[in-house]
């Protein structure tokens, strides 16, 4: 049987890290097994669902490269189908109309709580109890599922192992509210059935829904899919991940200069492992992914790990591609990529020092615009010998063969001629040309910036 998984987000906000990780696992599982991945938008919460949130989710999935084979399906477009299944369930006695009013339900709850019992529906409109009762006027009935009274419902969870609930613990679930709107637990069953989902991989906040959904599947005579519930993603402090922990929306990481391939790698490693492998490609993830690699314990988000993973991916990226990725970040930093050296070369020079594309673009500023040189800092370093050596170099650079090697030896010999150590020339050279001493090897930087830019900046700083 072809594996079919789905991601079923509610479009009530951006795609957060936990949701993205769930989507990634469902996607990777389908791809690993040569199956299909389906996107379903669960938009029945009309008040909180927005088109902007749908777009945010689609954008985030596109950015992460989580391509889907079917969908997006929208639950709001499937209302007729849900109603048809409800009618069928009513006709077959699998569900019934519950005429209990809100006031009666409140009273029942109050009594049960007073007796120290767990509030639950008392079954008063179950078919066997409703016989002979006249439905009250003016009450729009909810439709409830006739849950089995006895026995247990169990499944072999792909992550948690065997999970079992006693039917006595499960209420008669509301399938549709009095106003006719079907509920989440019901729509999900109809959808997973119609969409022929074989494996439901979702967050473990749904574990309590699963026995209810399995009972509905069984009542309908449909074999339930396999279920795997993945543990929550926690913040670094072990608390539930929230805004407090910084960026929680996936696309905020794009803005912050993370590579989507690094994000995929990092998200996969939150709660999943393949031996000791830390850095891997999307293709490797697909090759290796299976549920057995998912840890049943909650895992924590770790920003320094993300930074490391991102830098490792920056380092592994082919030159051309890295340059292309850098260009939009240069523009966002207000730099004109045409006003300096080729972005490929700049990226290659900076990638060992930058953890993100934003940091790389910041560090690249002196390649595309004349930096402001801090006069006081420069004055501190400018001994007469240093000034003289830089002035020498300025003259010598006019005709020097413009290679990293030639530049390096020219600076070393200028230092020696003036009784200085090479760093005593190279540090002020950095300041003069780049406006900062935090640069890669200065011979490489000058080689990249070119003769004219280098000499102009030297002349300006030295007043020559
Ligand atoms: N729409 C549900 C959610 O956002 C997911 C339902 C499911 O995966 O079964 O959590």
């Amino acid at each position: 049987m072809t594996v079919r998984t789905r991601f079923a987000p509610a479009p009530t906000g951006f795609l957060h890290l936990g949701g993205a990780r769930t989507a990634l696992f469902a996607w990777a599982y389908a791809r690993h097994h040569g199956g299909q991945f389906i996107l379903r938008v669960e938009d029945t919460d009309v008040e909180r669902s927005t088109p902007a949130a749908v777009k945010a989710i689609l954008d985030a999935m596109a950015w992460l490269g989580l391509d889907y084979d079917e969908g997006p399906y929208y639950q709001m477009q499937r209302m007729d189908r849900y109603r048809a299944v409800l009618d069928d369930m009513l006709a077959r006695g699998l569900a019934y109309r519950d005429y209990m009013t809100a006031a009666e339900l409140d009273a029942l709850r109050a009594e049960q709580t007073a007796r120290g019992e767990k509030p639950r529906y008392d079954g008063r409109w179950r078919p066997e109890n409703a016989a002979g009762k006249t439905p009250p006027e003016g009450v729009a009935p909810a439709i409830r599922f006739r849950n089995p009274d006895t026995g247990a419902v169990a499944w072999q969870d792909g992550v948690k192992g065997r999970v079992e609930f006693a039917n006595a613990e499960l209420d008669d679930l509301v399938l549709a509210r009095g106003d006719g709107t079907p509920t989440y637990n019901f729509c999900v069953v109809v959808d997973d059935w119609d969409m022929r989902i074989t494996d439901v991989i979702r967050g473990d906040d749904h574990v309590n829904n699963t026995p209810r959904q399995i009972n509905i599947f069984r009542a309908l005579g449909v074999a339930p899919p396999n279920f795997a519930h993945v543990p929550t993603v926690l913040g670094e402090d072990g608390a539930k991940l929230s805004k407090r922990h910084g960026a929680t929306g996936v696309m905020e990481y794009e803005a912050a200069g993370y590579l989507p391939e690094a994000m995929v790698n990092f998200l996969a490693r939150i709660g999943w492992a393949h031996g000791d492998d830390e850095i891997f490609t999307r293709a490797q993830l697909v090759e290796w992914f299976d549920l057995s690699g998912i840890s049943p314990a909650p895992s924590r988000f770790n920003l320094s790990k993300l930074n490391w993973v991102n830098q490792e991916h920056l380092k592994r990226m082919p030159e051309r591609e890295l340059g292309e990725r850098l260009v939009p970040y240069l523009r966002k930093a207000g730099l004109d990529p045409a006003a300096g050296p080729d972005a490929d070369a700049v990226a290659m020079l900076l990638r060992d020092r930058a953890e993100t594309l934003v940091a790389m673009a910041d560090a690249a500023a002196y390649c595309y615009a004349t930096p402001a040189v801090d006069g006081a800092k420069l004055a501190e370093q400018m001994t007469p010998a240093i000034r003289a050596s830089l002035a020498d170099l300025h003259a010598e650079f006019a005709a020097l063969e413009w290679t990293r090697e030639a530049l390096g030896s020219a600076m070393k010999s200028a230092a020696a001629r003036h009784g200085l150590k090479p760093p005593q020339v190279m540090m002020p050279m950095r300041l003069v040309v780049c406006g900062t001493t935090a640069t890669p090897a200065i011979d490489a930087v000058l080689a990249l910036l070119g003769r004219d830019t280098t000499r102009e900046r030297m002349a300006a700083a030295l007043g020559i």
Side-chain angles (χ1 to χ4, degrees):
M1 191 164 48
T2 309
V3 163
R4 285 170 63 88
T5 65
R6 83 308 193 266
F7 178 52
T12 54
F14 49 69
L15 185 61
H16 54 77
L17 291 176
R21 204 261 323 239
T22 302
L24 176 64
F25 285 2
W27 173 86
Y29 187 81
R31 294 287 170 258
H32 175 81
H33 290 282
Q36 282 138 17
F37 176 60
I38 289 129
L39 177 61
R40 178 169 83 223
V41 177
E42 304 208 324
D43 54 354
T44 55
D45 184 344
V46 209
E47 313 247 287
R48 295 174 57 227
S49 298
T50 65
V54 171
K55 183 172 183 300
I57 292 167
L58 297 182
D59 287 351
M61 290 182 68
W63 182 62
L64 292 171
L66 305 184
D67 56 322
Y68 38 90
D69 305 288
E70 281 175 35
Y73 294 109
Y74 292 87
Q75 288 187 324
M76 285 307 282
Q77 292 171 11
R78 292 177 40 78
M79 288 295 150
D80 291 347
R81 171 66 180 147
Y82 304 136
R83 290 209 181 96
V85 177
L86 280 174
D87 288 345
D88 176 56
M89 290 180 77
L90 286 167
R92 290 160 66 193
L94 306 175
Y96 60 93
R97 292 193 172 84
D98 171 28
Y99 292 91
M100 193 169 190
T101 61
E104 285 172 332
L105 187 62
D106 287 346
L108 176 66
R109 287 210 175 120
E111 278 168 38
Q112 289 169 330
T113 315
R115 286 200 299 267
E117 293 168 12
K118 214 165 107 188
R120 55 184 295 134
Y121 180 67
D122 61 1
R124 66 180 73 177
W125 286 98
R126 279 182 161 187
E128 64 269 30
N129 302 330
K133 274 199 218 170
T134 326
E137 291 276 328
V139 178
I143 297 174
R144 285 189 186 262
F145 174 61
R146 174 66 175 89
N147 198 71
D149 302 311
T150 56
V153 47
W155 74 94
Q156 191 60 32
D157 194 278
V159 175
K160 295 179 174 304
R162 190 183 152 82
V163 183
E164 184 176 317
F165 284 78
N167 272 319
E169 282 172 37
L170 307 176
D171 235 339
D172 279 1
L173 191 80
V174 173
L175 303 179
R177 299 183 193 90
D179 64 6
T181 48
T183 57
Y184 156 74
N185 273 298
F186 174 64
C187 296
V188 164
V189 170
V190 177
D191 290 346
D192 287 339
W193 171 26
D194 288 354
M195 294 167 197
R196 304 187 319 283
I197 301 302
T198 57
D199 296 82
V200 169
I201 299 170
R202 62 183 170 197
D204 68 0
D205 47 330
H206 288 287
V207 169
N208 288 324
N209 292 323
T210 303
R212 297 172 166 85
Q213 294 175 9
I214 290 177
N215 279 344
I216 303 173
F217 275 112
R218 295 214 170 117
L220 289 166
V222 177
N226 302 316
F227 290 93
H229 291 89
V230 301
T232 325
V233 180
L234 302 174
E236 305 203 40
D237 54 2
K240 203 169 148 37
L241 199 62
S242 72
K243 267 276 156 216
R244 203 162 47 76
H245 296 99
T248 57
V250 171
M251 293 311 272
E252 292 174 63
Y253 290 91
E254 183 196 31
Y258 294 89
L259 297 168
E261 37 279 88
M263 207 65 202
V264 162
N265 181 161
F266 171 74
L267 286 171
R269 283 289 292 113
I270 306 183
W272 176 83
H274 177 263
D276 293 332
D277 293 302
E278 286 292 354
I279 303 299
F280 41 83
T281 63
R282 188 191 307 273
Q284 285 171 315
L285 171 64
V286 167
E287 190 188 324
W288 298 335
F289 190 81
D290 223 336
L291 300 180
S292 55
I294 301 179
S295 155
S299 339
R300 295 186 187 197
F301 170 85
N302 179 332
L303 184 62
S304 42
K305 177 149 180 199
L306 171 60
N307 288 335
W308 175 72
V309 169
N310 199 57
Q311 190 167 23
E312 291 302 311
H313 279 268
L314 288 175
K315 286 185 194 163
R316 284 163 170 76
M317 188 157 276
E319 179 167 351
R320 263 254 80 90
E321 222 184 308
L322 186 59
E324 260 168 44
R325 305 287 186 106
L326 177 61
V327 165
Y329 291 89
L330 291 175
R331 294 213 171 91
K332 265 198 267 178
L335 302 167
D336 174 7
D342 197 47
D344 298 347
V346 172
M348 292 306 281
L349 188 66
L350 294 174
R351 71 171 167 185
D352 290 335
R353 312 168 62 92
E355 287 181 329
T356 65
L357 289 167
V358 166
M360 197 185 272
D362 275 354
Y366 58 75
C367 296
Y368 298 97
T370 309
V373 179
D374 180 339
K377 221 188 217 171
L378 190 60
E380 245 170 56
Q381 303 209 359
M382 275 300 170
T383 62
I386 289 173
R387 170 174 288 277
S389 70
L390 290 177
D392 267 14
L393 284 168
H394 177 261
E396 204 182 333
F397 281 0
L400 190 77
E401 181 204 355
W402 205 257
T403 63
R404 179 176 177 178
E405 294 67 30
L407 285 158
S409 0
M411 283 185 275
K412 279 186 205 133
S413 22
R417 280 200 307 277
H418 293 273
L420 300 164
K421 296 206 165 70
Q424 290 178 287
V425 171
M426 292 177 177
M427 277 303 167
M429 182 69 91
R430 285 183 159 98
L431 210 50
V432 161
V433 178
C434 307
T436 167
T437 51
T439 77
I442 188 64
D443 49 0
V445 173
L446 299 185
L448 188 65
L449 285 176
R451 187 190 313 275
D452 294 347
T453 304
T454 302
R455 292 189 72 242
E456 277 160 29
R457 291 183 189 178
M458 288 175 78
L462 296 168
I464 49 179

